[in-house]
Amino acid sequence: MFEPNMEAVKYDNPLLPVSLEHLQQDKGWHCHANSEWIMVRKGEVQVDFDATTLSLSQGQVALIALSQPHRIRLLAPGTCYVSLRFDLPAFLESNSAAYLPHFERDSRACDSINTLFIDHPEACREAAVYMEEICREISAQSACYELAVSMHIKQMLLLLIRNQAPGQMTEYCGSMERLRIKPVLDYIEAHLDDRISVEEVCGLVHMSYNYFIKFFKKETGQTFLQYVHNQKIKRAAHLLLTSNISVSEVCGRISIENMAHFYKLFKRINGCSPKQFQCRMRKQETVIC
């Protein structure tokens, strides 16, 4: 069995975890660390999976699951398409976390969305409109474009959730098991400035330590520690842009005691140091203003 290339995702704006590419060439077997949305702007595209093939023409949209091996082939001269990837948990608040598997954790759920696009062309057209708006906002980068992009992503997600058959939503999203994770996500969000341990949150959902860490990874796609670190670094990025406190004070504010560890986490998540992040984002603000 071949090993598909796992493509890394690079976000140009750390405060907007969205990657957008305009492509005009074939792509060999690969997969992504998050789901991928494809929209054909011109021509025809064929997406090959392990056992199935999906053909798309101009204006059509498809969803490819997290870590799902696939290749993309252009079937007509002049074909071009858009590839949209984003950090889905960043756009689903804790009260919507149960819907995460519907878009990202299960290829069967993505297959049901692609079937929806085929059976209901009007839903496909509406999703394409949202993707075009996302492209336009990212290209123009007008004031507060991040809010506009976030709004269009949420509109697209809502469109697909509302158009699914009730049975499909129950199978992938509505189980009580998945809803049990919500108190944990709420607790983490409310205690980002504190030290958070697995032991603290196990009691919230009445699970043993070993069961909880497996359950959390299954439902979120991240280990508990990875999730907490990601949320803390998002909090740190917000503080760096909205306050005048130093980097060391930000590190202490989010209860990461080791400065070297903080720098390592920040660079891994944002692709730059905290100071570089400040300079880059403030420069963007100056250009927009």
Side-chain angles (χ1 to χ4, degrees):
M1 178 66 180
F2 64 89
E3 287 292 334
N5 176 42
M6 175 66 80
E7 291 191 353
V9 182
K10 182 179 180 181
Y11 303 129
D12 293 329
N13 182 342
L15 294 184
L16 183 68
V18 174
S19 172
L20 182 70
E21 293 183 283
H22 300 267
L23 300 167
Q24 294 180 283
Q25 60 186 18
D26 294 348
K27 294 196 72 173
W29 287 102
H30 66 288
C31 55
H32 306 291
N34 50 18
S35 54
E36 178 182 23
W37 303 73
I38 288 177
M39 178 187 66
V40 180
R41 279 188 149 173
K42 182 181 178 183
E44 296 177 81
V45 166
Q46 179 173 301
V47 185
D48 296 325
F49 302 102
D50 286 341
T52 60
T53 294
L54 192 62
S55 296
L56 306 171
S57 57
Q58 183 172 330
Q60 290 189 304
V61 178
L63 174 60
I64 300 168
L66 177 152
S67 299
Q68 186 176 22
H70 62 285
R71 68 177 177 181
I72 299 175
R73 293 189 288 172
L74 279 56
L75 302 182
T79 294
C80 58
Y81 68 97
V82 171
S83 170
L84 174 68
R85 289 178 281 165
F86 52 87
D87 179 19
L88 184 57
F91 297 92
L92 289 177
E93 291 82 1
S94 60
N95 59 3
S96 305
Y99 295 102
L100 178 61
H102 194 57
F103 299 103
E104 195 157 83
R105 300 304 305 164
D106 195 319
S107 61
R108 292 176 304 152
C110 292
D111 290 343
S112 75
I113 288 175
N114 292 330
T115 300
L116 165 69
F117 285 145
I118 294 171
D119 294 342
H120 301 279
E122 68 281 1
C124 186
R125 286 192 293 269
E126 190 171 346
V129 169
Y130 292 138
M131 287 191 67
E132 286 287 5
E133 286 298 313
I134 291 167
C135 293
R136 187 180 64 81
E137 290 289 348
I138 290 177
S139 176
Q141 293 196 10
S142 302
C144 209
Y145 80 98
E146 298 93 342
L147 180 59
V149 170
S150 178
M151 178 187 70
H152 293 311
I153 287 175
K154 291 180 180 180
Q155 286 175 316
M156 186 164 63
L157 297 178
L158 179 62
L159 165 73
L160 300 179
I161 292 170
R162 290 279 175 86
N163 277 276
Q164 287 294 309
Q168 290 172 321
M169 294 308 301
T170 299
E171 179 180 358
Y172 297 118
C173 308
S175 71
M176 291 303 295
E177 281 295 297
R178 291 193 174 104
L179 293 175
R180 289 175 68 189
I181 205 72
K182 183 180 183 301
V184 175
L185 303 183
D186 289 344
Y187 181 88
I188 293 171
E189 188 66 27
H191 293 82
L192 289 176
D193 291 346
D194 305 323
R195 295 183 64 183
I196 305 172
S197 68
V198 179
E199 291 79 6
E200 287 178 78
V201 299
C202 286
L204 293 174
V205 286
H206 307 291
M207 296 179 187
S208 68
Y209 177 93
N210 290 331
Y211 182 83
F212 173 78
I213 58 177
K214 293 177 182 178
F215 177 81
F216 191 91
K217 176 71 179 293
K218 176 177 177 289
E219 298 307 321
T220 66
Q222 305 175 65
T223 67
F224 179 77
L225 194 58
Q226 286 172 336
Y227 184 87
V228 170
H229 282 160
N230 286 342
Q231 298 307 110
K232 280 182 174 285
I233 295 303
K234 287 178 185 177
R235 164 79 169 142
H238 177 78
L239 289 170
L240 287 168
L241 291 181
T242 59
S243 67
N244 293 320
I245 61 177
S246 66
V247 173
S248 61
E249 288 175 308
V250 169
C251 182
R253 180 76 67 84
I254 62 173
S255 298
I256 296 181
E257 298 174 358
N258 187 306
M259 180 70 78
H261 184 50
F262 171 71
Y263 268 80
K264 183 178 179 180
L265 287 172
F266 197 97
K267 189 168 185 179
R268 176 176 63 80
I269 293 170
N270 292 310
C272 60
S273 72
K275 280 294 184 184
Q276 290 171 331
F277 172 83
Q278 274 185 319
C279 293
R280 186 169 71 186
M281 297 308 297
R282 286 175 178 171
K283 183 179 180 181
Q284 286 186 13
E285 288 176 356
T286 301
V287 171
I288 291 174
C289 293

